[in-house]
Amino acid sequence: MFTDRRLTEAYNNAKEMFYDDYSRIVFMSDAHRGDGSVSDEFLRSRNLFVHALKEYYESEYTFVEVGDGEELLEYSEFEHIKNAHTDVYGLIKKFYDKDRYIRIYGNHDIFLKNQKYVEKNYYINYDEYSEEYFDFLKGIEPIESLVLKHRQTSQEIFVLHGHQGDAPNDQFWFFTMLSLKYFWRFLHRFGIRNPASPIKNVSKRHKIERNYSKWIKKNRRMLICGHTHRFKFPKNRDLPYFNTGCGIYPSSITAIELSEGMVRLVRWKEEVNDEGLLYIKRETMRGPEPVELFDIRKPKEVVEYLAKLKMQRTKKSREKRAAFREEEM
């Protein structure tokens, strides 16, 4: 009941943005960028993250970071995080300067809910080499949720981090912060995770996902979120619940892409070639599927017919437009 109320509140207060079949949007979450110390879990996937962002930038995607971009509960000094990952923030600034970066806050970066904190830490940066201050993400206003509305069909996609209604990470987040900052942070150095977290606790994760599904069924909206760190792409006519996964898997990161009216789940991972050289590869895990296929406002037969028409009419031109930069290199 509480989760339903919190999700509905977030939906009603969401920022609205239009998209169409020519839009390119990538959703990534749960990078948990830290201060570069041994307890910083982002270090193991930083190169993957940087490479993926470069490709999305050159391929003209809008980057929606769906919460927990920074691990602010463990590392409250954002200045240390910026200095540890200058290459990442240099890319984020490029997206932002082109008006292609949308920041949603989650439970681990909930400080972004406070605009004064954002202005102090995100508006201006300091270059230690030149000893000069310069504009960073000046004017950014992080949001709790986003509603994407299709210009022609009015189909909506509801996007938020997903901690809403998860009591320890929502209304009691302050106490969770204390346990992370003064206890679990040090155990992370040895690979020990909090068993109460939905990341490790399977029954808790399934409960959260069941609550998402109840809300989707009741409100007939497609939902994209993060939080659980378990990537999800519906199959066999399941309810349209999508999860971005996370950016701290040992040798891969995942994302949800929306491009040319198609949605897909992708993974960026490390591979080794026949010469023994490491390289980064992007692979499609599920999809692409027409976004219309997940519009549960309409009867199943209508949805499948519209999706089939789209696949037939636009296949050649869509695939040409959707060609990824890395596939042309």
Side-chain angles (χ1 to χ4, degrees):
M1 183 64 71
F2 183 73
T3 300
D4 180 83
R5 187 170 80 245
R6 285 288 289 116
L7 290 174
T8 300
E9 286 175 358
Y11 172 80
N12 291 334
N13 296 320
K15 175 181 178 178
E16 284 194 356
M17 183 174 124
F18 288 98
Y19 75 102
D20 55 34
D21 288 351
Y22 290 87
S23 300
R24 290 184 173 189
I25 307 171
V26 58
F27 305 89
M28 302 171 75
S29 75
D30 296 275
H32 292 273
R33 294 182 289 271
D35 64 356
S37 65
V38 292
S39 60
D40 183 356
E41 296 177 288
F42 178 67
L43 286 176
R44 58 190 176 190
S45 56
R46 180 171 61 183
N47 291 337
L48 291 167
F49 196 84
V50 168
H51 178 76
L53 283 192
K54 285 180 179 178
E55 295 300 318
Y56 286 126
Y57 180 80
E58 296 298 336
S59 298
E60 300 183 346
Y61 276 72
T62 292
F63 174 29
V64 179
E65 191 155 28
V66 192
D68 288 1
E70 284 89 35
E71 182 47 76
L72 296 178
L73 297 189
E74 293 188 35
Y75 316 100
S76 55
E77 295 293 332
F78 181 57
E79 193 68 28
H80 297 163
I81 299 176
K82 281 193 292 187
N83 291 338
H85 305 294
T86 55
D87 47 355
V88 174
Y89 290 105
L91 284 165
I92 287 176
K93 179 169 171 53
K94 289 176 71 175
F95 276 98
Y96 183 72
D97 289 345
K98 293 288 187 180
D99 197 24
R100 287 163 42 197
Y101 180 63
I102 297 173
R103 183 61 185 267
I104 294 173
Y105 58 79
N107 54 300
H108 284 256
D109 54 7
I110 200 166
F111 294 160
L112 273 64
K113 188 176 182 179
N114 185 335
Q115 191 61 26
K116 289 184 178 179
Y117 179 91
V118 175
E119 292 174 10
K120 178 183 176 181
N121 292 281
Y122 288 76
Y123 276 26
I124 296 176
N125 204 357
Y126 179 70
D127 189 324
E128 293 184 340
Y129 178 74
S130 64
E131 298 183 339
E132 293 179 346
Y133 287 94
F134 62 93
D135 288 347
F136 180 41
L137 304 181
K138 194 168 186 177
I140 191 170
E141 296 181 2
I143 57 177
E144 181 180 18
S145 51
L146 174 71
V147 170
L148 295 167
K149 184 174 290 188
H150 198 284
R151 292 185 187 276
Q152 283 76 44
T153 67
S154 76
Q155 180 183 357
E156 291 184 353
I157 304 174
F158 181 36
V159 188
L160 80 172
H161 180 61
H163 65 284
Q164 289 79 1
D166 179 6
N169 294 301
D170 191 2
Q171 62 267 44
F172 302 130
W173 69 267
F174 182 78
F175 300 103
T176 300
M177 178 194 70
L178 294 178
S179 69
L180 283 168
K181 191 171 184 178
Y182 298 109
F183 182 68
W184 290 109
R185 171 182 176 181
F186 303 101
L187 294 183
H188 287 172
R189 299 180 181 183
F190 305 100
I192 301 173
R193 305 299 299 270
N194 183 354
S197 167
I199 303 165
K200 293 291 289 182
N201 191 319
V202 176
S203 62
K204 183 175 183 179
R205 185 175 65 202
H206 287 172
K207 180 181 178 181
I208 292 171
E209 292 177 342
R210 284 196 301 271
N211 288 335
Y212 297 157
S213 297
K214 288 177 183 177
W215 189 91
I216 293 168
K217 187 175 182 179
K218 177 181 176 181
N219 295 275
R220 298 192 296 171
R221 296 290 187 277
M222 175 176 165
L223 175 67
I224 297 178
C225 64
H227 186 52
T228 67
H229 291 206
R230 185 170 85 129
F231 53 79
K232 186 76 168 63
F233 191 104
K235 56 184 178 179
N236 300 327
R237 298 297 299 163
D238 287 343
L239 289 169
Y241 159 55
F242 295 76
N243 196 297
T244 58
C246 74
I248 54 172
Y249 294 125
S251 58
S252 67
I253 62 175
T254 54
I256 298 289
E257 293 177 3
L258 177 64
S259 64
E260 317 305 326
M262 310 291 284
V263 60
R264 74 176 80 201
L265 170 68
V266 301
R267 172 166 55 195
W268 297 82
K269 64 178 185 176
E270 295 177 355
E271 292 278 351
V272 60
N273 63 18
D274 293 339
E275 287 74 41
L277 298 176
L278 286 172
Y279 68 98
I280 296 172
K281 177 183 178 182
R282 167 182 169 269
E283 67 177 14
T284 298
M285 299 174 68
R286 288 201 54 91
E289 298 280 4
V291 71
E292 291 90 348
L293 200 59
F294 304 100
D295 188 352
I296 57 175
R297 300 171 304 167
K298 300 182 176 71
K300 175 183 175 182
E301 294 76 15
V302 174
V303 166
E304 292 180 345
Y305 175 72
L306 292 174
K308 184 178 179 180
L309 277 182
K310 184 175 188 177
M311 293 290 283
Q312 291 174 343
R313 289 176 180 173
T314 65
K315 187 174 189 298
K316 187 174 181 180
S317 60
R318 185 185 68 248
E319 289 182 350
K320 184 178 180 180
R321 291 196 310 267
F324 218 79
R325 187 183 82 115
E326 71 159 13
E327 295 166 354
E328 299 172 351
M329 294 173 64

